Amino acid sequence: MRIKISFPLVCLVGLMLSCQLLQAQYAHFVKQGVVAFEKRVNMYAKIKSRVGSNSFMEQAFEQYRRNNPQFKTFKYRLAFDGDRTRFWPLDDQATPSAGFFGNDPSVDLGNTIVADLLAGQRISQKSVYEQTYLVTDSIRRIQWRITNETREIAGYQCRRANAVVLDSVYVVAFYTDQIPVSGGPESFAGLPGMILGVALPYENTTYFATSVEDRPVTAQELEVPKRGKAVNYGQLRAELEASLKNWGDYAQAILKAMLL
């Protein structure tokens, strides 16, 4: 049986297809701007994993829970211009907390990280207690596995990717190809678009974009940090392992935070 299609219907279908092609052709891709990130750490879960059967730690944990919220929040910015990115903390970045776990360096180190994505190099300013390091090394190569799962973050459609870094840290990332810059928060990069969300489930930590400013960035927003003891990644690891060798299991939490 032959189906007759009216001329107006053919025109309507053609018009819809033309609109879709035009929309794809003129899709706006953001190549410069600043992303606002919120880092959230589930302090109750993080501390609970360290308590074990230590009665002193249990008492400290209960006191912390009575006086502090479950989540500790930090504010960061990520400026990007083509193949250059800079990730840094805001000055007033953390929700106030006190007590035994108030200034745990494994929770947040306030890193500043500048990356040249084209050259595959990065400079990271990291501080633990009184020592500040200026780490120059190559950008970490992460073996991402891209999935079909999507979600919207800060108004952008993002696709999920999974990976494991440092041999044991499971990472869930969400990136958007509407920002064609292969960067992201902290040291997470290497996807075909800007990473706007990162979850570290077993570290009880997330980074999610809250807004994206589509605008030219300033030289100050891409400024390379200069203060700190100059080391590379291998030297940093060796120095930390030597200085923390008598700290027991807690040393591993600090080491992991510094190397992420």
Side-chain angles (χ1 to χ4, degrees):
M1 180 178 66
R2 183 177 297 177
I3 300 175
K4 293 183 179 181
I5 302 176
S6 65
F7 181 73
L9 181 58
V10 172
C11 292
L12 179 60
V13 171
L15 181 61
M16 291 174 62
L17 290 173
S18 298
C19 289
Q20 290 176 352
L21 290 171
L22 284 171
Q23 185 177 12
Q25 183 179 355
Y26 294 104
H28 179 61
F29 293 97
V30 181
K31 297 182 180 179
Q32 282 185 309
V34 178
V35 185
F37 277 97
E38 183 177 85
K39 175 183 178 181
R40 282 167 59 84
V41 182
N42 185 337
M43 292 297 294
Y44 292 179
K46 200 168 187 69
I47 296 170
K48 186 70 174 176
S49 67
R50 287 177 48 197
V51 168
S53 58
N54 187 312
S55 59
F56 171 75
M57 292 284 282
E58 286 181 353
Q59 292 175 15
F61 176 39
E62 288 305 318
Q63 183 177 1
Y64 184 93
R65 283 207 302 185
R66 285 195 296 269
N67 299 309
N68 296 278
Q70 180 175 359
F71 290 91
K72 197 169 185 180
T73 304
F74 304 84
K75 305 293 185 181
Y76 280 85
R77 295 290 183 269
L78 175 66
F80 60 95
D81 183 359
D83 293 310
R84 296 183 63 203
T85 67
R86 178 173 178 262
F87 180 75
W88 75 96
L90 298 189
D91 291 336
D92 184 19
Q93 62 167 336
T95 52
S97 63
F100 186 76
F101 304 101
N103 296 305
D104 189 335
S106 70
V107 173
D108 187 73
L109 292 164
N111 297 329
T112 295
I113 302 174
V114 176
D116 184 332
L117 302 173
L118 189 60
Q121 297 292 316
R122 70 180 178 190
I123 297 176
S124 308
Q125 187 180 62
K126 298 169 176 277
S127 298
V128 57
Y129 296 118
E130 293 81 22
Q131 181 64 61
T132 298
Y133 295 92
L134 200 60
V135 189
T136 302
D137 219 315
S138 58
I139 294 173
R140 176 185 287 130
R141 296 192 177 208
I142 301 175
Q143 299 298 315
W144 294 106
R145 184 176 65 85
I146 297 174
T147 75
N148 292 324
E149 182 180 339
T150 61
R151 67 178 293 179
E152 186 177 304
I153 301 174
Y156 290 83
Q157 193 68 18
C158 298
R159 183 177 293 274
R160 175 175 172 169
N162 305 324
V164 175
V165 300
L166 298 180
D167 298 327
S168 62
V169 180
Y170 180 57
V171 183
V172 177
F174 292 90
Y175 73 94
T176 177
D177 55 12
Q178 291 176 263
I179 305 177
V181 178
S182 186
E186 296 287 359
S187 61
F188 301 107
L191 282 164
M194 179 63 73
I195 297 172
L196 296 182
V198 170
L200 307 174
Y202 300 109
E203 308 305 315
N204 306 295
T205 301
T206 61
Y207 300 79
F208 277 95
T210 56
S211 66
V212 178
E213 292 183 73
D214 179 3
R215 63 168 175 82
V217 299
T218 65
Q220 183 178 5
E221 288 172 322
L222 291 173
E223 185 178 13
V224 178
K226 298 179 176 63
R227 182 177 61 86
K229 181 179 179 179
V231 294
N232 61 32
Y233 188 84
Q235 291 168 333
L236 173 66
R237 181 164 198 153
E239 184 165 325
L240 289 173
E241 288 176 343
S243 61
L244 300 172
K245 63 181 179 181
N246 297 322
W247 287 44
D249 292 339
Y250 181 47
Q252 295 304 311
I254 298 178
L255 184 63
K256 186 186 295 183
M258 286 290 285
L259 297 179
L260 268 177

